[in-house]
Amino acid sequence: MSLTSDPPVTKGPVAASSAPAELVVVPVRHPWRWAAVVATAVLLVQFVHGLVTNPGWEWDVFAAFFTTETILRAVWVTLQLTFYGTALGFAIGILLAFMRLSASPFLRSVAFGYIWAFRSIPLIVQLLFWFNLAYLYKELSIGIPFGPGFVSFDTTGLVGEMGAAVLGLALHQAAYAAEIVRGGVLAVDEGQSEAAAALGIPRLRQVRRIVLPQAMRSILPNAANEIISLFKGTSIVSVMAIGELFYQVQVVYGRNGRVVPLLMVATAWYVLLTTALSVVQHYVERHYAKGSAR
């Protein structure tokens, strides 16, 4: 009698017959996925076919106006409005963000009130308000508060059409930029600032060299969306008769009646410049992603 627990070994043809049969791998079928692919492809082909064959698009008119001097000047004005609105808006927004993060209840309240007000009032109302500033204030003075002024400025000449547009866009953008920057700063671990303070690093240098570089990873995607939205939103200044892209397109098709091809001219420029901004965003994000685990 065997004292071990090993099972008996079977020899001969019986052992061969007890081996498991070879497994057959059957690929998973996705009929509905393929049906969706085919349906989407058909719709895309139909759309492209309509763009090419439908004479209503008037691609010859589109090509004739796409790079005219009037349109190029309008594109330059649009870029200027976007640049100045973004630069001033984010400069004010960073200040407001740190005011909201301040230990002072007064500064927090002022920053919150600004953000609440400028996010509540429609942009077109803000633009028309700044455009008609001279109606409320004939002149602005620099001097003693509630006392005599030393230098005065005529608001009619001080705030022109372009100045009112940049001011309105920048102040409106600042309210959204403040929340974007504040969210990015809050995303940085507070232990980073505590460790820097323990090493004796000044507060301003902590923010500039430690907090903001890490916060940029959270700030950049939302900030890029806001810049692109501002770039397209510059079309709203057409109510002030400023010669940006959409306004000039309206002027041209108001003269020749070619509405669709002129709208496509504006669309193509918006798409091209938005794509360029997206490429810049990609490289800036990659720069600030150095050292990241992802």
Side-chain angles (χ1 to χ4, degrees), residues 84-98 100 111-112 114-119 123 126 166-182 226 230:
Y84 293 131
T86 299
L88 293 176
F90 272 88
I92 300 172
I94 291 172
L95 178 62
L96 290 170
F98 284 100
R100 284 213 63 188
F112 177 81
Y114 178 98
I115 294 168
W116 167 77
F118 279 86
R119 290 199 303 184
L123 176 57
Q126 297 178 40
V166 170
L167 189 60
L169 292 172
L171 294 178
H172 178 78
Q173 185 73 12
Y176 294 91
E179 291 298 274
I180 292 172
V181 173
R182 185 174 72 92
E226 281 300 314
L230 178 64

Side-chain angles (χ1 to χ4, degrees), residues 18-245:
S18 63
E22 183 179 355
L23 297 177
V24 178
V25 179
V26 179
V28 179
R29 309 295 182 185
H30 298 285
W32 291 111
R33 180 189 299 175
W34 284 107
V37 169
V38 171
T40 305
V42 170
L43 290 176
L44 286 175
V45 171
Q46 286 182 322
F47 177 72
V48 174
H49 180 266
L51 286 178
V52 174
T53 60
N54 190 340
W57 292 105
E58 298 184 274
W59 292 113
D60 54 336
V61 178
F62 169 86
F65 283 95
F66 184 69
T67 56
T68 58
E69 184 180 354
T70 301
I71 298 298
L72 292 179
R73 283 202 307 266
V75 171
W76 174 241
V77 173
T78 299
L79 290 175
Q80 284 181 299
L81 289 171
T82 304
F83 175 78
Y84 293 131
T86 299
L88 293 176
F90 272 88
I92 300 172
I94 291 172
L95 178 62
L96 290 170
F98 284 100
M99 286 174 65
R100 284 213 63 188
L101 295 171
S102 171
S104 170
F106 177 75
L107 293 179
R108 290 201 307 268
S109 300
V110 171
F112 177 81
Y114 178 98
I115 294 168
W116 167 77
F118 279 86
R119 290 199 303 184
S120 302
I121 303 172
L123 176 57
I124 189 171
V125 176
Q126 297 178 40
L127 290 172
L128 291 175
F129 171 80
W130 293 113
F131 186 60
N132 293 282
L133 183 63
Y135 177 78
L136 295 174
Y137 302 99
K138 303 299 181 182
E139 62 178 18
L140 297 176
S141 302
I142 299 177
I144 300 174
F146 307 105
F150 303 131
V151 181
S152 299
F153 302 95
D154 182 11
T155 52
T156 304
L158 182 65
V159 182
E161 297 175 355
M162 194 70 174
V166 170
L167 189 60
L169 292 172
L171 294 178
H172 178 78
Q173 185 73 12
Y176 294 91
E179 291 298 274
I180 292 172
V181 173
R182 185 174 72 92
V185 172
L186 291 175
V188 179
D189 188 358
E190 190 176 355
Q192 301 280 338
S193 299
E194 293 175 353
L199 293 173
I201 300 176
R203 178 63 178 171
L204 182 60
R205 191 174 182 186
Q206 292 177 32
V207 173
R208 184 170 56 89
R209 300 298 299 271
I210 297 173
V211 177
L212 281 181
Q214 296 181 72
M216 288 297 288
R217 297 174 188 172
S218 300
I219 292 173
L220 277 173
N222 295 322
N225 285 339
E226 281 300 314
I227 294 171
I228 291 173
S229 296
L230 178 64
F231 167 68
K232 294 182 294 184
T234 54
S235 60
I236 203 170
V237 304
S238 60
V239 299
M240 301 162 63
I242 295 177
E244 51 80 44
L245 180 58

